[in-house]
Each structure stands twice: as structure tokens, then as C-alpha cells.
Amino acid sequence: MVDREWTDWKFTREDLKRTPSVVACGWTVEREELDRAKACGLIHSASRKLQLPQITSASACVFLHRFFMRHSLKEYHHYNIAATCLFVACKAEESLRKLESFIPVIVYYASKGNRKAPPGTTEFEKWRAVILRTEVVVLQALCFDMVVEHPHVVLINLCDRLGLNRHLSQMAWSFVSDCMKLPLCLVHSPKSISCASVSLASRVSSAELRGGLVDDSWLDRVGADRGAVADVAQWLLEFYAREAQSRMTRGVADGAAEAAQTPISSPGSAASPMSHVQPSPLSELK
């Protein structure tokens, strides 16, 4: 059965090349994806600090991806929309938080710990105005549709059906959470996203920890779309690769800046190490 709530917001990869940010504002597809991922990263960090259910965090990410299909990143800063989408998701998922506790957490993570915004300060009032002003804009962009089917829920049922061990289940859950940073929820169904996460978890695990998942034959048993599963997995791996490259580039730049301030007789600083997932090729999934 095809889920109505998902198909009502279904887009294609080509649609992501024609978003308002790309068409009207000169963003590249890659830059928009990175900004969306940063915004979702803020949502995830703030949600953990606020002790919100992961479903609330996931809903906020979905709202954000849907919002930027109708508005540009030039018009609305991604951190402002991340904060507003999380605030809206708290209401939608009945996990309310007061602005007095919500805003200081948002400001802390948005500024990477460099700013504080206790109630009564100018910084607090600025963010309060932004959230309350953009809340209406977000709701209108979403057509007041707050219903979301999450791959997390599908994954729980999938893990139970396949009898996955704790290691694989937790790793698959981590992949699903990372998928929420990307606009995968606009292109692929929750089922395809959850199946791709299980497939990746099994591929990066040792043979001893895979349990009964020695190959991907289980995809046929659960009625998964192999082409969609392969696309989700490849999309996520490509994102990991770009993210790792970005970290390495920033590390080199930081090292160069520090070296410029260091006497010649002192050794220069090295770039911070990086690591990323590199499972086996996914072509056989198709």
C-alpha cells in the first residue's frame, strides 16, 4: 500500500535541480544540499539537548526539506528555518517546549557555543521574533500538513521482521538519522530509506555481526524496490564523501592559518584526521 502522506509530497531528483534556491538564487544543488544538512544538524543537536523524541526531530527535518522546495535559502536563512521547523514539530508531535528553554539551546548550537541567549536579552528577543514571524510562513508553505510517515517507524518493524541483532539495529537507526539530513524524504519512500539503512548496516559490519543478512536477498522478501534502495544508499555515501572532503579542506585551511602564526623553528600543525564509511559497491542491488 502506498502511503498518501508521502506521495502528496513526492518529488524527483530532477526537481531538486529546479528549487527556488537553484533557479532564482544561484545556489548549486550541492551547496543547497549542504545547507539543508547543516540545518538538520542543528535540529538534531538541539533536539538531543532538549530531550525531544527522535520522531520530533525527524518531523522537523521533513518540514525543512519541504519548505525549501517552495522558498529559497537566500530569502530565509537555513538556521532560522531549522529553529522554526523544530518549534512547529514540537507542537505537531505533542512534545512542547517553552521558548524560554528552546531559544537558548538553538542559539548555543547555531553559534557553535559562542553565543548565549537567556530570556530578556536582545539575542533572545531577536530569535523569538524570527521564530514567531516565520512560523506562519512555514505553516503556509507546508499547507498546514503536519502528518509525516517516518522511516524510523518502518525500520522498527523491519528489524523485528528480520530478527536483526542489537548491533545491526542501532547502526541502521544511525543511517536513517543521517538520511534525514538529505532531501531523501522528498524522493524516496520511508520503506526504501529504512531498507537502504539496513543494507548499509549489514555491509559495513563484520560477518560475525551480520546475523542472517549474508546478502540482500531479504529485500525481495520484504517487497523492497531494489533500484530505490540502491539510490538511497549511494546518495548517502556520496554525502559522506563530500562531508569528509569538506572536513579535510577545513582542516588544511586551519592548519595553514595556525602555521602562519607559528615560528619557523616550530613544527606546523597537521590537518585533523577524517574517517567515513566505504562499503562495497551497490550496483548489485539494482
Side-chain angles (χ1 to χ4, degrees):
M1 180 178 178
V2 178
D3 182 74
R4 182 196 65 77
E5 285 77 20
W6 175 70
T7 55
D8 283 351
W9 288 95
K10 189 177 189 301
F11 296 89
T12 66
R13 293 289 288 265
E14 289 300 312
D15 290 329
L16 295 176
K17 299 177 183 178
R18 297 189 293 266
T19 64
S21 300
V22 174
V23 173
C25 302
W27 260 245
T28 62
V29 174
E30 292 75 20
R31 179 183 175 186
E32 178 171 9
E33 187 175 279
L34 180 60
D35 284 345
R36 288 176 183 242
K38 288 178 180 177
C40 291
L42 171 59
I43 289 171
H44 287 163
S45 297
S47 296
R48 285 192 295 270
K49 184 65 175 179
L50 291 165
Q51 298 183 333
L52 293 170
Q54 285 197 316
I55 292 301
T56 301
S57 174
S59 290
C61 291
V62 173
F63 295 161
L64 181 138
H65 289 306
R66 291 176 177 178
F67 177 86
F68 283 119
M69 296 305 291
R70 296 186 171 178
H71 293 281
S72 74
L73 284 150
K74 183 177 182 180
E75 185 182 9
Y76 294 97
H77 193 279
H78 50 285
Y79 281 171
N80 291 349
I81 299 304
T84 305
C85 284
L86 183 57
F87 188 63
V88 170
C90 285
K91 295 181 179 181
E93 301 296 344
E94 299 182 351
S95 50
L96 299 178
R97 296 293 186 275
K98 293 182 178 180
L99 286 174
E100 286 76 10
S101 59
F102 183 87
I103 290 176
V105 172
I106 291 291
V107 173
Y108 178 83
Y109 287 106
S111 66
K112 296 181 172 60
N114 294 321
R115 292 184 182 179
K116 295 182 179 180
T121 62
T122 302
E123 189 75 12
F124 178 90
E125 292 302 324
K126 182 187 76 173
W127 277 89
R128 181 179 181 275
V130 166
I131 292 172
L132 295 181
R133 183 175 64 249
T134 55
E135 181 180 9
V136 176
V137 181
V138 167
L139 290 171
Q140 289 174 338
L142 298 175
C143 302
F144 295 88
D145 183 0
M146 303 288 101
V147 180
V148 179
E149 184 192 4
H150 292 295
H152 302 74
V153 178
V154 180
L155 178 61
I156 291 172
N157 295 328
L158 188 60
C159 290
D160 183 59
R161 180 175 178 181
L162 296 174
L164 299 188
N165 58 43
R166 183 179 180 84
H167 168 82
L168 281 180
S169 298
Q170 289 181 335
M171 185 166 287
W173 189 273
S174 296
F175 281 127
V176 165
S177 295
D178 283 347
C179 282
M180 302 311 296
K181 295 180 180 179
L182 303 172
L184 283 160
C185 59
L186 303 177
V187 178
H188 292 294
S189 69
K191 182 175 183 177
S192 294
I193 293 172
S194 61
C195 286
S197 298
V198 171
S199 178
L200 284 173
S202 67
R203 288 168 179 272
V204 300
S205 299
S206 63
E208 295 78 17
L209 294 174
R210 288 179 191 168
L213 300 187
V214 294
D215 55 32
D216 284 317
S217 60
W218 60 271
L219 289 171
D220 299 320
R221 297 203 309 272
V222 300
D225 181 336
R226 282 179 171 261
V229 170
D231 188 51
V232 171
Q234 195 62 44
W235 195 339
L236 184 58
L237 293 179
E238 289 170 0
F239 170 71
Y240 284 154
R242 286 195 300 273
E243 202 175 42
Q245 182 62 41
S246 177
R247 287 199 203 97
M248 184 173 69
T249 301
R250 289 197 302 271
V252 170
D254 292 344
E258 185 176 339
Q261 303 297 323
T262 305
I264 295 177
S265 58
S266 301
S269 60
S272 57
M274 69 169 187
S275 61
H276 57 278
V277 180
Q278 290 183 313
S280 55
L282 302 165
S283 57
E284 65 267 25
L285 287 177
K286 298 182 179 179

